[in-house]
Amino acid sequence: MNLHRNPIPVTEAVSRIMEINADKQIETVSIPNSHDRILAEDLVAVHAIPPFPKSPYDGYAFIASDTDQASRDHPVEFRVIEEIGAGQRASRPIESGEAVRIMTGAEIPKGATCVAMFEICQTYEQDGQAFMTIKRKMTEGQNIMAKGSETEKGQLLVSKGTKINPGVEALLATFGYHEVKVYRQPKVGVFATGTELLEVHEQLEPGKIRNSNAYMILSQIERSGAIPVYLGKLADDFDTCYDSVVSALKEVDILITTGGVSVGDYDLMPAVYEKLGAEVLFNKIAMRPGSVTTVAQLNGQLLFGLSGNPSACYVGFELFAFPFTQKILGNGKPYHKVIEAVLGHDIMKPNPFHRFMRGYIEYEDNQVTVHPAGIDKSGVVTSLARTNLFIILRGGTRGYKKGDRVQAVLLEGHQGADDFIIKS
Ligand code: AMP
Ligand code: MG
């Protein structure tokens, strides 16, 4: 086997993956099942909002010009002819000198041209008839939400490829779409390789560790919006690994393995890819951690060989597998967002290659700062619990000082980005 590995830049590795065609399919789900799914059709206003002129307040509706002479010492009086709540309609058009007591959300009676809030109106009753007086001049259209003032019929409101959030769900309901077309979620299978691995429920024994990567990646897959499929752990035995990978490829859209991509005696994944006849897109990346991350494709199906080292594995998923899951999911913004922030700590360590340091975001001294999450070693698991971003420490730098501006890859809580660019 050829052990020579040619490191490529991170962004080149990402592009090679994203050039692979994704098999996007569409399915229909109900609104309550649409959360965080990706819209597979444009959401267009099928009617105006509001669909009728309505009152934004509780108050009185009347003809604004009736108050032309109103002032502090000259209140104008109206006869209150009826009362309407939201969902009710006035029984007849309004005439000069008349007012309708109207509640928020109710349709403006025909003829009325303004609404005065309760707070500026005085009311009294005489012989069973309600009256209202007002001491100020109202203008035409005041406090009326005109039909279509929010959006006109036919307007494009949310484009396909957008992740559905609570606001999008509100819009779907507004327009009466109780079902919506979304992209199918890919099934992403996970194998953890390593003879040293114990399952979670097993007691520790000398020389063994528990398989934490599988659970971590299953959760990363779920966070990405794809469907995680745990396929189990595999001992470092070639035939076991090969046979398991072959059968798994029939079950899932994307296959992720952890461990076994380095150059040790028991690192068997490169030989598995070779026997499968898979095309290796790359097997060495100029980055830390996770430089051995390997990605191969077989008949359009991607196999992600992530490092067994927990931090490297975590980074490998987010930088390389995540955007591809988004591509299959039809996300128009498939990349994690890269922001600029202020570094909250000195990190005086030379970076021969781009380093993706696990970190977290804070808001301090009126600015967004980023902090390292803990020990910065690829084999570390403890720092991951605090991680919600990667601080990018650019290759060729000798260290960073607190207060320096750095880029950071946001892993949570955003709609995605159109590209993945590391500034030089
Ligand atoms: P490998 O990539 O197989 O050479 O493994 C690198 C390191 O990660 C070794 O110390 C492994 O014991 C550890 N490791 C491998 N797989 C896992 C896993 N599933 N969970 C936790 N640690 C792992
Ligand atoms: Mg191993």
Side-chain angles (χ1 to χ4, degrees):
M1 202 193 325
N2 183 7
L3 288 182
H4 177 71
R5 293 187 171 192
N6 180 28
I8 62 167
V10 179
T11 47
E12 167 68 21
V14 173
S15 323
R16 287 190 193 177
I17 291 167
M18 294 302 269
E19 274 162 19
I20 304 291
N21 243 350
D23 175 26
K24 285 189 292 188
Q25 288 171 21
I26 293 174
E27 63 188 18
T28 303
V29 295
S30 65
I31 300 179
N33 291 323
S34 70
H35 185 66
D36 269 355
R37 300 293 297 272
I38 308 290
L39 266 182
E41 57 188 340
D42 287 338
L43 204 165
V44 175
V46 296
H47 59 67
I49 310 179
F52 50 84
K54 72 178 183 180
S55 175
Y57 300 118
D58 299 322
Y60 290 91
F62 49 84
I63 298 167
S65 58
D66 281 355
T67 60
D68 281 354
Q69 307 305 320
S71 69
R72 202 182 268 273
D73 347 283
H74 187 267
V76 174
E77 186 183 83
F78 291 89
R79 216 158 55 80
V80 179
I81 56 168
E82 63 183 313
E83 171 179 333
I84 52 172
Q88 298 173 332
R89 306 184 75 198
S91 58
R92 65 164 176 85
I94 228 165
E95 286 173 15
S96 181
E98 294 178 338
V100 164
R101 187 175 163 92
I102 190 168
M103 304 302 141
T104 304
E107 180 178 9
I108 303 292
K110 290 245 159 15
T113 60
C114 73
V115 171
M117 292 154 79
F118 281 157
E119 289 85 335
I120 62 164
C121 300
Q122 293 77 46
T123 48
Y124 64 93
E125 242 188 72
Q126 206 169 41
D127 303 329
Q129 171 63 50
F131 291 90
M132 180 278 283
T133 60
I134 182 165
K135 294 179 175 169
R136 62 175 94 163
K137 184 173 153 38
M138 297 292 291
T139 55
E140 193 113 332
Q142 199 173 344
N143 298 334
I144 288 182
M145 292 164 73
K147 174 179 175 178
S149 56
E150 184 177 332
T151 190
E152 291 291 355
K153 178 177 175 176
Q155 199 167 318
L156 171 65
L157 296 175
V158 189
S159 304
K160 85 176 181 189
T162 304
K163 189 183 283 186
I164 297 177
N165 63 19
V168 174
E169 285 170 61
L171 275 181
L172 290 168
T174 298
F175 294 117
Y177 297 105
H178 76 107
E179 284 186 327
V180 59
K181 288 200 171 76
V182 295
Y183 291 104
R184 184 184 66 94
Q185 297 167 286
K187 282 192 198 155
V188 185
V190 178
F191 275 126
T193 75
T195 300
E196 73 279 31
L197 301 177
L198 297 170
E199 266 318 339
V200 181
H201 56 272
E202 292 182 287
Q203 283 296 314
L204 273 188
E205 20 174 308
K208 305 257 180 175
I209 58 168
R210 291 197 188 90
N211 165 19
S212 57
N213 287 351
Y215 295 94
M216 174 181 83
I217 297 183
L218 293 171
S219 167
Q220 289 176 286
I221 293 167
E222 192 165 327
R223 180 166 69 179
S224 80
I227 299 173
V229 181
Y230 184 39
L231 301 166
K233 62 184 172 63
L234 301 173
D236 295 314
D237 168 74
F238 182 83
D239 291 333
T240 312
C241 287
Y242 178 80
D243 294 344
S244 306
V245 166
V246 168
S247 62
L249 284 172
K250 296 181 196 127
E251 305 299 320
V252 297
D253 299 289
I254 296 175
L255 183 62
I256 295 181
T257 54
T258 83
V261 283
S262 221
V263 292
D265 294 347
Y266 298 97
D267 290 324
L268 303 167
M269 291 315 295
V272 169
Y273 299 141
E274 194 169 287
K275 185 167 174 188
L276 282 170
E279 175 204 359
V280 173
L281 303 184
F282 53 83
N283 59 10
K284 186 94 183 165
I285 309 166
M287 65 179 279
R288 296 281 186 273
S291 65
V292 297
T293 305
T294 300
V295 178
Q297 73 120 345
L298 184 63
N299 307 323
Q301 215 174 356
L302 283 188
L303 295 95
F304 289 84
L306 306 182
S307 165
N309 283 307
S311 285
C313 181
Y314 186 102
V315 171
F317 178 88
E318 297 297 344
L319 292 187
F320 305 111
F322 175 85
F324 195 70
T325 61
Q326 300 311 294
K327 191 169 174 182
I328 302 186
L329 277 165
N331 190 341
K333 294 177 178 292
Y335 301 99
H336 284 311
K337 202 179 266 305
V338 178
I339 60 161
E340 263 196 31
V342 174
L343 190 59
H345 268 68
D346 288 344
I347 307 176
M348 299 315 291
K349 167 165 158 179
N351 302 290
F353 304 105
H354 286 331
R355 187 184 300 280
F356 293 85
M357 182 178 268
R358 279 70 62 212
Y360 61 91
I361 195 162
E362 283 288 347
Y363 189 69
E364 295 162 332
D365 306 328
N366 293 320
Q367 59 191 10
V368 175
T369 56
V370 290
H371 296 267
I375 304 169
D376 185 54
K377 290 260 162 41
S378 68
V380 159
V381 66
T382 46
S383 60
L384 296 173
R386 256 204 302 268
T387 295
N388 55 26
L389 53 78
F390 301 143
I391 303 170
I392 304 178
L393 306 174
R394 288 193 310 101
T397 52
R398 302 204 51 77
Y400 285 80
K401 284 210 152 328
K402 179 177 175 171
D404 283 352
R405 291 194 76 81
V406 287
Q407 285 187 288
V409 183
L410 286 188
L411 304 179
E412 291 175 356
H414 62 85
Q415 278 275 343
D418 299 316
D419 49 27
F420 180 69
I421 293 172
I422 300 175
K423 282 199 206 152
S424 48

